Amino acid sequence: MAAFVLILFFGMALTWVAVFIGVSVKDVEDCADRRVVWVFPLVFASSSYVPIQTMPGWLQAFAKINPFTSLVDTVRALMLGGDVPLFAVENSCWGAGIFILFLFLAIRRYRLLTV
C-alpha cells in the first residue's frame, strides 16, 4: 500500500509538469510531443531497467540524482525489503519539490496568459 501511495504522490507531482507544459505551448500537438521528450531520458537513465553500478561513469552520475531512480529504489525497497526510510525520505523530497515548483510555475504562467 505504501508503494502505491508513493507512486500516486510522485505521479501527481509530475502532473504539474505536464500542466506547466500545457499552458506554455500554443498547439495541442506540441504539448504531447514536449511531454514525452523529458520523460523518456529520465526513465531510461534511471535504475528502473539496469543497476546503476553497471552503467557508464557519466550515466551513473546522472542516474544517482535522477528523481525516477529515487522512486524506483523506494518501490523496490518496499516490495523486496531494504532501506526504506532513507529512500522514502529522498523520494518524498523529490516529489514535494517537483510538485511545489511546477505548481507555482504553472499558476504563474496561467496568470500571465489570462491577464
Side-chain angles (χ1 to χ4, degrees), residues 17-69:
V17 177
V19 170
F20 174 70
I21 293 170
V23 297
S24 297
V25 297
K26 304 265 188 246
D27 195 14
V28 176
E29 288 83 17
D30 285 344
C31 181
D33 293 342
R34 291 182 188 185
R35 189 181 67 226
V36 171
V37 167
W38 64 269
V39 170
F40 278 126
L42 289 175
V43 171
F44 288 115
S46 71
S47 65
S48 58
Y49 295 109
V50 296
I52 293 177
Q53 296 80 12
T54 62
M55 296 179 182
W58 61 271
L59 190 55
Q60 283 183 15
F62 178 74
K64 288 179 182 175
I65 61 167
N66 187 344
F68 281 93
T69 297

Side-chain angles (χ1 to χ4, degrees), residues 50 72 78:
V50 296
V72 169
L78 285 168

Side-chain angles (χ1 to χ4, degrees), residues 42-114:
L42 289 175
V43 171
F44 288 115
S46 71
S47 65
S48 58
Y49 295 109
V50 296
I52 293 177
Q53 296 80 12
T54 62
M55 296 179 182
W58 61 271
L59 190 55
Q60 283 183 15
F62 178 74
K64 288 179 182 175
I65 61 167
N66 187 344
F68 281 93
T69 297
S70 173
L71 179 65
V72 169
D73 290 344
T74 305
V75 172
R76 278 194 187 129
L78 285 168
M79 297 293 186
L80 303 174
D83 193 11
V84 175
L86 176 66
F87 289 135
V89 168
E90 183 181 352
N91 187 43
S92 298
C93 289
W94 269 114
I98 292 169
F99 184 88
I100 292 168
L101 175 67
F102 282 96
L103 171 68
F104 172 75
L105 290 174
I107 290 172
R108 182 174 168 85
R109 181 71 177 164
Y110 180 75
R111 285 185 182 163
L112 289 174
L113 291 174
T114 58

